[in-house]
Amino acid sequence: MTPGDAPPDAAAPVPRARPGGRTARTRAQVLDAVRAELGEHGYDGLTMEAVAARAGVHRATVYRRWGDVGGLLADVLDAAGDDDWRPPDTGSLEGDLAALNEEIQTAMAAEPPIMAALIAASFRSGKAARAQRRLWEDRYTRCEIVVGRAVRRGELPPGTDARRLLVAATAPLYHELVLLRTPPDPRLPGQAARAAALAAAAGAFTGPL
Amino acid sequence: MTPGDAPPDAAAPVPRARPGGRTARTRAQVLDAVRAELGEHGYDGLTMEAVAARAGVHRATVYRRWGDVGGLLADVLDAAGDDDWRPPDTGSLEGDLAALNEEIQTAMAAEPPIMAALIAASFRSGKAARAQRRLWEDRYTRCEIVVGRAVRRGELPPGTDARRLLVAATAPLYHELVLLRTPPDPRLPGQAARAAALAAAAGAFTGPL
């Protein structure tokens, strides 16, 4: 459980992508290579050398910008959050949560298993773990609108804690797929959404207990 | 994500413990050593040699009986399930689930972090992953009585699916502590228990959706 990577300041900060610039192109090539190597070989087969070769970028550049494998994984996760994703809007809380869970289950079952490999890698690298957490917390923030809409529709009591509700709705899916490694059950996204929506409507996520 | 260990039949099956016998003593010494090494060094520092030396057992014996590090971890997990643990009986469903979650949070926060290290190791070894799953499934089976008592008290509709309810009650805790790596929140065991109990009372876990 001890993160084996270098302290956060050991590598220079990754430059922000300038769309169309050379830095942005290099970053895109390198992160594509990380995802491909990770999907094919998992964490154990992921090396700075293989990523540099696959990306067609100098090894020295990869070391200078990303520092180590943990830095590469963290940047893949940060890049995953650098999109315009918005949560589903189906017209009901249960529908929104079910659609969200469907997206999670589809992503977790995708081949090559990039998302599953990134979660596994977060047990090997402190940098990857922190980036994974940033990505999830950003998703919770973006999903607050789902709860806001449900409150306005009168489906939920005012003061419902969005983050607690979102964790309750999605955690059973991650528990089955990531920790128990159960094969995907097509009913689970809807079942977990319904359970969380019923608990929320009954006031389970309002105020501190 | 690819389990790197040998196929299940590469090592001879671990002999069942005969209480008081030499086999049982050797097993206890070796599993104590595995837990100690894992707690001190994590998966990356766990070697057959270090375990044999710490246990005071011949290396050849450890290789012959457990095969590899994955075999050692799997046997630690199997031994953890070889107890007489019973779920709490507090008189209410919410109380039982909250007490169960308190036990989980306490175990996850224990030092040295054996339980957390075993979960992390399940991402490195297919044998450990399968043993972790066996342990969890056995715990769900033992907890069915919690749901049965609640149905008899009239707290839950008959036909409530115990496993689905138990996953819903405990998954938020594992999600926060294992995947998001949030520091333990003393309110979470009770909050997650209350949410699952409210959903269950509303019929979230009866019948297929």
Side-chain angles (χ1 to χ4, degrees):
Chain A
M1 293 294 284
T2 323
D5 56 8
D9 53 359
V14 175
R16 297 300 300 169
R18 280 178 286 117
R22 197 173 146 199
T23 302
R25 273 202 310 279
T26 301
R27 185 183 183 220
Q29 285 163 348
V30 167
L31 298 192
D32 280 348
V34 175
R35 282 183 286 259
E37 289 288 318
L38 192 64
E40 285 173 23
H41 310 295
Y43 182 94
D44 282 314
L46 189 67
T47 65
M48 301 295 274
E49 287 68 24
V51 167
R54 187 165 198 143
V57 168
H58 274 295
R59 248 175 51 155
T61 304
V62 177
Y63 275 101
R64 193 174 61 247
R65 293 208 188 148
W66 286 276
D68 58 17
V69 163
L72 287 172
L73 291 167
D75 203 31
V76 164
L77 286 156
D78 286 341
D82 204 16
D83 62 4
D84 58 357
W85 182 85
R86 295 209 184 297
D89 186 3
T90 66
S92 76
L93 175 66
E94 188 182 327
D96 287 358
L97 296 175
L100 182 63
N101 275 347
E102 293 284 0
E103 284 189 29
I104 294 169
Q105 180 140 296
T106 300
M108 285 297 301
E111 282 298 335
I114 308 280
M115 186 171 166
L118 286 168
I119 293 176
S122 73
F123 289 90
R124 310 286 291 276
S125 154
K127 284 181 199 168
R130 288 186 290 276
Q132 178 75 69
R133 187 190 160 122
R134 279 195 299 277
L135 179 59
W136 261 319
E137 296 294 347
D138 175 63
R139 287 324 202 209
Y140 295 139
T141 303
R142 295 198 208 185
C143 285
E144 284 171 4
I145 193 171
V146 164
V147 178
R149 286 192 302 243
V151 171
R152 279 196 296 281
R153 281 190 299 254
E155 289 184 272
L156 288 182
T160 297
D161 185 314
R163 190 183 177 287
R164 278 170 55 200
L165 167 51
L166 291 159
V167 168
T170 58
L173 222 67
Y174 287 109
H175 197 73
E176 294 281 5
L177 297 173
V178 178
L179 297 180
L180 291 169
R181 297 164 182 84
T182 318
D185 176 346
R187 295 168 306 179
L188 185 58
Q191 286 176 343
R194 179 159 174 258
L198 285 169
F205 307 111
T206 48
L209 195 64
Chain B
M1 291 296 286
T2 323
D5 56 7
D9 54 359
V14 176
R16 297 298 299 168
R18 278 176 287 117
R22 197 173 146 198
T23 301
R25 273 202 309 279
T26 301
R27 184 185 184 218
Q29 285 163 350
V30 167
L31 298 192
D32 281 348
V34 175
R35 283 184 285 260
E37 290 288 318
L38 191 65
E40 285 174 24
H41 310 295
Y43 182 94
D44 283 312
L46 188 68
T47 64
M48 302 293 275
E49 287 70 23
V51 167
R54 187 165 198 142
V57 168
H58 274 297
R59 248 175 50 156
T61 305
V62 178
Y63 274 103
R64 192 175 61 247
R65 292 209 190 148
W66 286 276
D68 58 16
V69 163
L72 287 171
L73 291 166
D75 203 31
V76 164
L77 286 157
D78 286 341
D82 204 15
D83 61 5
D84 59 356
W85 183 85
R86 296 209 184 295
D89 185 3
T90 66
S92 76
L93 175 66
E94 188 181 329
D96 288 357
L97 296 175
L100 182 63
N101 275 348
E102 294 285 358
E103 284 188 29
I104 293 170
Q105 181 141 297
T106 300
M108 285 297 301
E111 283 297 334
I114 309 279
M115 184 170 166
L118 286 168
I119 293 176
S122 74
F123 289 91
R124 308 287 291 276
S125 154
K127 283 183 200 169
R130 287 186 290 275
Q132 178 74 69
R133 185 188 162 123
R134 279 196 297 276
L135 179 59
W136 262 319
E137 296 293 348
D138 175 62
R139 289 320 203 212
Y140 295 138
T141 303
R142 295 199 208 185
C143 284
E144 284 172 4
I145 193 171
V146 165
V147 178
R149 288 193 301 245
V151 170
R152 280 195 296 281
R153 281 190 301 257
E155 290 185 271
L156 287 183
T160 297
D161 186 312
R163 191 182 177 287
R164 278 170 54 200
L165 167 51
L166 291 159
V167 169
T170 58
L173 222 67
Y174 287 110
H175 197 74
E176 294 281 3
L177 298 173
V178 178
L179 297 180
L180 291 169
R181 298 164 182 85
T182 317
D185 176 345
R187 296 168 305 179
L188 186 57
Q191 287 176 343
R194 179 158 174 258
L198 285 169
F205 307 112
T206 47
L209 195 66

